């Protein structure tokens, strides 16, 4: 069983809409969660991190964490064509010093 | 502030050879992690180093090894290269432990 699972997509949204990405994790020891954006041919770029239950907002991005249900989500508001990329969810456990990544969700924003 | 620097950016090797990849972390970051990314397997954790100590290792054969120097720079080595080792190798650094990791541009390794 994979430790981190993402809705596989691909996800296509019109420009200006909200893109919703979901991620579940199996390791209850995971304490920190990260969202990375990866453009084709590039390396992952950190866009959000969240450690506590609830919502965390940064510009057009909102990360949500629910530890009881073991899921993390990312909302992209007012989606722009430049948001078209693969989004990777990752979870970390402070006891084993590694991040486990989901397979990624490819998002396409249609102009 | 300079980001994570990986060298070389591209490498072409043949089966049976060995390769060494280098990573210089962001200044002040003491944790360095290595990942392998392939289309089929996604991002897979290789190992993590902190203060010259390997604290965790992923599920990879012993042909994959690494080390970290006192200035936090890290190298990874792959011996007896196989075709399946063709991948993008990514290095990420962080302040410590579960702090956010920042990735370098990666080294794309192709095995002929």
């Amino acid at each position: 069983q994979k430790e981190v699972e993402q809705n596989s997509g691909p996800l296509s949204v019109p420009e200006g809409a909200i893109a919703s990405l979901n991620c579940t994790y199996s390791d209850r020891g995971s304490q920190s969660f990260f969202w990375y954006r990866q453009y084709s041919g590039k390396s992952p770029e950190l866009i959000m991190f969240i450690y506590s239950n609830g919502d965390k907002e940064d510009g057009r991005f909102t990360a949500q964490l629910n530890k009881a249900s073991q899921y993390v989500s990312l909302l992209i508001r007012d989606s722009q064509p430049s948001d078209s990329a693969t989004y990777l969810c990752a979870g970390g456990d402070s006891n084993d010093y590694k991040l486990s990544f989901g397979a990624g969700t490819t998002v396409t924003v249609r102009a | 502030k300079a980001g994570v620097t990986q060298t070389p950016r591209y490498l072409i090797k043949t089966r049976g050879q060995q390769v060494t990849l280098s990573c210089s972390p962001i200044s002040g970051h003491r944790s360095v992690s290595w990942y392998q990314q392939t289309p089929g397997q996604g991002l897979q954790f290789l190992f993590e180093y902190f203060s010259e100590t390997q604290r965790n290792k992923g599920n990879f054969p012993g042909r994959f090894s690494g080390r970290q120097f006192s200035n936090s720079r890290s190298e990874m080595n792959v011996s007896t290269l196989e075709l399946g080792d063709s991948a993008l190798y990514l290095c990420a650094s962080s302040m410590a432990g579960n702090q956010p990791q920042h990735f370098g541009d990666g080294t794309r390794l192709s095995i002929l």
Side-chain angles (χ1 to χ4, degrees):
Chain A
Q1 182 186 4
K2 290 188 177 179
E3 295 180 19
V4 177
E5 304 235 22
Q6 294 184 241
N7 47 337
S8 56
L11 180 64
S12 179
V13 298
E15 186 174 356
I18 295 175
S20 177
L21 308 172
N22 297 312
C23 171
T24 58
Y25 61 94
S26 59
D27 181 6
R28 284 197 172 273
S30 296
Q31 301 166 346
S32 52
F33 300 89
F34 308 88
W35 284 99
Y36 288 85
R37 176 177 63 198
Q38 187 172 25
Y39 292 114
S40 180
K42 301 293 186 181
S43 64
E45 173 193 9
L46 178 71
I47 54 173
M48 290 287 287
F49 59 92
I50 186 166
Y51 301 143
S52 303
N53 277 329
D55 295 358
K56 179 180 180 182
E57 187 175 315
D58 184 0
R60 295 185 296 109
F61 299 99
T62 298
Q64 300 172 317
L65 173 59
N66 184 320
K67 291 187 178 181
S69 300
Q70 294 180 250
Y71 85 78
V72 191
S73 64
L74 179 71
L75 299 177
I76 307 174
R77 292 183 302 282
D78 188 24
S79 295
Q80 302 296 308
S82 59
D83 295 327
S84 297
T86 296
Y87 290 80
L88 299 163
C89 170
D93 182 338
S94 61
N95 293 320
D96 66 11
Y97 311 111
K98 75 169 194 178
L99 292 185
S100 297
F101 282 82
T105 300
T106 298
V107 174
T108 300
V109 180
R110 310 186 305 270
Chain B
K1 198 173 186 180
V4 178
T5 303
Q6 290 188 247
T7 57
R9 291 292 311 279
Y10 303 93
L11 265 179
I12 299 175
K13 293 286 187 179
T14 57
R15 282 179 298 174
Q17 288 187 307
Q18 74 166 17
V19 67
T20 298
L21 312 182
S22 180
C23 172
S24 292
I26 292 171
S27 178
H29 285 191
R30 296 170 64 188
S31 172
V32 174
S33 299
W34 289 89
Y35 297 87
Q36 180 195 66
Q37 187 173 36
T38 59
Q41 297 298 316
L43 261 168
Q44 301 289 314
F45 171 77
L46 280 159
F47 24 67
E48 189 265 358
Y49 288 89
F50 183 86
S51 293
E52 302 178 67
T53 299
Q54 184 184 92
R55 299 193 294 188
N56 200 354
K57 187 179 193 303
N59 188 24
F60 279 83
R63 301 184 295 107
F64 291 81
S65 62
R67 58 178 175 169
Q68 186 180 36
F69 303 95
S70 58
N71 61 358
S72 295
R73 190 177 71 84
S74 177
E75 290 181 346
M76 68 163 282
N77 183 277
V78 188
S79 62
T80 320
L81 287 165
E82 300 177 358
L83 292 177
D85 297 334
S86 293
L88 179 65
Y89 290 87
L90 291 160
C91 167
S93 75
S94 67
M95 295 287 286
N98 264 350
Q99 295 298 308
Q101 295 184 9
H102 300 270
F103 284 87
D105 289 336
T107 295
R108 186 162 297 279
L109 176 62
S110 298
I111 311 301
L112 304 180

